[in-house]
């Protein structure tokens, strides 16, 4: 970090933050208004209803500590600027709203503080809403120091939003919002109605915790406006928020209105970009985009007119295309309201791009998006690419963008060279960002509720020794806690019951002798909720399974709540899954999602169905079942239904995945039933390296949307004659 410090002259506070591993940043805020301490204690929902009805300006209602189940909390009243009506927790963090609870505000000068929503989901369209109904809105009101954690609808396709701001002059600050899994933006500002426009909301010092990959459009963390009202001003100020691994889809933030300011926010390991999707005249300044090298991390995507991007720090961002560190899109001539308006008068100045993979200009250029950026400038920026060559990619005519006084470490493209001098972070000649950027994680959210940990969910638990026998794994798994490891002694494990996993668990051989696992039910494992499995060093047979259609070793099921699952298989052998004609190893049922399936040094032989069956989302809604399928150093033989089947339908450009990487793996006599070694429909990232097919048909790759990244190198085909490794069908 010394380089950053010396180059930018950041404050002592920022230096201290850097040294502890967190990034940069402006000082913690000290300006929050005090929530009143005296008031009337209410202990039941009926008491609350009576008390709020009678509340006068200046009154404070105190919710008693404890769990409030199915609480339809409506805070309605008319406070004044000097004497608001306050509803607060007796002790911040000890008033839990669970089950089917929600919060609605309606009226003037209301304050809500200190609540925790967890262990449930909202029965409404929102968890927290700044209105009671479409006619009764809240203005000049505030929600602060409130937590919403893992309050997802168990049906991941059910759409809701956790926080929606209506009305005007509302404040949302120091809240902790984390772990949304189901469809719909985590938070939105809505402008549908005159009384919610030119709203000047202030959204600051919030902690937006991890938003896992959603696997479809609708996974935004924050949205302001909609395309319908996008030419209306919102004038919201979004500052000093921390976006921690907010990776639901290609838009971290979808800005769809005018006149907003994004200032001093930190985006950490968040996939996608702050997208200026619709609306004009938005300012993006003093933000920190720190990808920390994580996949698909990006910065700002620019569309529309009068957008200003200045004095931001973009760091260690690996994203390309729609997820570049900076993406300036082409527009559609005379665009309809919901398509791409031309970039006009964009000002991009004084930013530092430090170790970024790409800056995409004229992105999206095609027959429809043919309107190139005009009247725009790119000046006084420092550009340090991650590779040996320039990070700039030009997709169209950039003569409508003036380049001046920039510094670049790598030689820029010829057509931009006039606007650059050679340099570095240390020799920036006054170009680039200066001052402070972003906000420290600790300065956001609340101090009394833990922020999401970093690191693997499989770690941090106990190790339990398990002896062979009947239902030994079932019993040990039932007794285990999240993150535990079951160590299997050599011998035979016969499981007569299906093991439903709702927590991350590791199951591995205690010695180098592979224990044998056999099972008598249709599935050995069912994953739901937070269920994930790491399996290592075992032999598994399907011989004892019943003759049922749809058997699999492991299935993800939507019953019990749909989380993002991880499955890791290493050094294991699967054989004899032939008892009926569609026996799979892993199945994703409709409405389930695997963040990752990773297989290494394993074998799969004599399987009647598809080994990895991830094709249940066939509605063509852009929803799919798996984000990453990674296979290395493995062998597949006699897999009749193909080694994998992945289906991502729909034609929207809202997701990075699915991604499939297969390396140094062999496929022999595959696809007797499916006619393909793998079927990959709508996959967006594809890498096949040094694999071998033997007497097997080609991998079938069907392109339906986007511009997939495809790397197919060093693969060998042994029989039948004239057979290809990959066959591509383009349906765009
Ligand atoms: Ca979106």
């Amino acid at each position: 970090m010394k380089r950053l410090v010396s180059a930018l002259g950041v404050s002592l506070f920022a230096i201290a933050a850097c040294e502890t591993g967190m990034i940069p940043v402006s000082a913690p805020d000290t300006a929050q208004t005090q929530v009143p301490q005296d008031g009337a204690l209410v202990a039941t929902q009926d008491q609350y209803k009576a008390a709020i009805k009678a509340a006068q300006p200046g009154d404070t209602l105190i919710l008693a500590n404890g769990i409030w189940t199915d609480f339809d909390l409506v805070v309605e009243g008319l406070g004044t600027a000097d004497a608001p009506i306050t509803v607060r927790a007796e002790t911040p963090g000890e008033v839990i709203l669970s089950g089917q609870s929600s919060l609605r505000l309606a009226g003037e000068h209301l304050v809500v503080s200190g609540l925790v929503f967890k262990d449930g989901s909202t029965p409404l369209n929102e968890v927290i809403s700044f209105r009671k109904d479409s006619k009764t809105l809240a203005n000049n009101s505030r929600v602060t120091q409130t937590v919403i954690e893992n309050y997802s609808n168990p049906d991941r396709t059910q759409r809701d939003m956790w926080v929606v701001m209506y009305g005007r002059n509302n404040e949302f600050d120091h809240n902790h919002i984390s772990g949304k899994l189901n469809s719909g933006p985590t938070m939105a500002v809505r402008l549908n109605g005159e009384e919610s426009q030119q709203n000047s909301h202030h959204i600051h010092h919030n902690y937006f915790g991890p938003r896992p990959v959603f696997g479809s459009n609708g996974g935004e963390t924050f949205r302001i406006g909609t395309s319908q009202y996008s030419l209306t001003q919102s004038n919201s100020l979004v500052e000093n928020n921390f976006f921690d691994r907010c990776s639901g889809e290609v838009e971290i933030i979808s800005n769809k209105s005018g006149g907003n300011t994004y200032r001093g926010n930190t985006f950490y390991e968040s996939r996608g970009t702050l997208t200026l999707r619709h609306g004009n005249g938005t300012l993006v300044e003093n933000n920190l985009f720190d990808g920390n090298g994580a996949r698909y991390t990006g910065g700002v995507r620019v569309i529309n007119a009068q957008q200003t991007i200045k004095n931001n720090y973009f760091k260690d961002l690996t994203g390309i295309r729609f997820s570049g560190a900076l993406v300036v899109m082409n527009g559609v001539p005379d665009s309809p309201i919901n398509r791409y308006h031309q970039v006009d008068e964009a000002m991009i100045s004084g930013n530092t791009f430090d170790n970024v993979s790409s800056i995409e200009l004229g992105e999206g250029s095609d027959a429809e998006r043919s309107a190139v950026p005009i009247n725009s400038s790119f000046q006084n920026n420092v550009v340090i690419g991650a590779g040996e060559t320039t990070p700039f990619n030009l997709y169209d005519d950039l003569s409508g963008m003036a380049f001046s006084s920039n510094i670049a470490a790598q030689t820029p493209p010829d057509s931009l060279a006039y606007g650059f001098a050679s340099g570095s972070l240390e020799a920036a000649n006054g170009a680039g960002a200066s001052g402070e950027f972003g906000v420290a994680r600790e300065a956001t959210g609340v101090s009394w509720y833990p922020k999401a940990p970093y690191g693997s969910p499989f770690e941090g638990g106990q190790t339990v020794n398990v002896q062979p026998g009947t239902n030994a794994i079932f019993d040990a798994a039932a007794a285990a806690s999240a993150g535990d490891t079951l160590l299997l002694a050599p011998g035979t494990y016969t499981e007569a019951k299906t093991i439903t996993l709702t927590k991350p668990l590791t199951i591995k051989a205690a010695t180098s002798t592979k224990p044998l696992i056999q099972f008598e039910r249709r599935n050995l494992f069912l994953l739901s909720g937070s269920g994930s499995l790491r399996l290592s060093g075992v032999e598994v047979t399907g011989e004892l399974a019943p003759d049922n259609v749809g058997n699999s070793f492991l299935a993800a099921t939507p019953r019990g709540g749909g989380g993002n699952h991880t499955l890791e298989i290493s050094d294991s052998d699967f054989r004899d899954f032939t008892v009926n004609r569609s026996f799979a190893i892993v199945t994703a049922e409709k409405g389930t999602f695997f963040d990752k399936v990773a297989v290494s040094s394993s074998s799969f032989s004599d399987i009647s169905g598809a080994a990895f069956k991830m094709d249940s989302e066939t509605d063509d809604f852009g929803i799919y079942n798996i984000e990453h399928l990674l296979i290395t150093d493995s062998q597949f033989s006699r897999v009749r239904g193909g080694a994998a089947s992945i289906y991502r339908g729909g034609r929207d450009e809202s997701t990075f995945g699915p991604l499939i990487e297969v390396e140094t793996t062999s496929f022999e006599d595959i696809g007797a039933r499916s006619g393909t070694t793998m079927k990959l429909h709508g996959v967006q990232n594809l890498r096949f390296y040094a694999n071998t097919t033997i007497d097997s048909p080609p991998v079938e790759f069907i392109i339906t949307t986007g511009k997939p990244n495809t790397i197919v190198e060093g693969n060998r085909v042994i029989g039948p004659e004239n057979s290809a490794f990959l066959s591509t069908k383009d349906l765009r």
Side-chain angles (χ1 to χ4, degrees), residues 217-220 249-251 254 654:
N217 192 15
E220 303 88 352
E249 57 141 277
V250 299
E251 298 174 301
S254 189
S654 304

Side-chain angles (χ1 to χ4, degrees), residues 123-135:
L124 307 175
N125 286 320
E126 300 104 358
V127 180
I128 297 176
S129 178
F130 283 75
R131 72 178 191 186
K132 187 174 81 169
D133 52 50
S134 63
K135 305 229 160 27

Side-chain angles (χ1 to χ4, degrees), residues 545-565:
D547 184 5
N548 279 355
V549 174
N551 283 354
S552 62
F553 164 72
L554 179 148
T557 171
R559 296 179 297 282
N564 280 26
H565 309 297

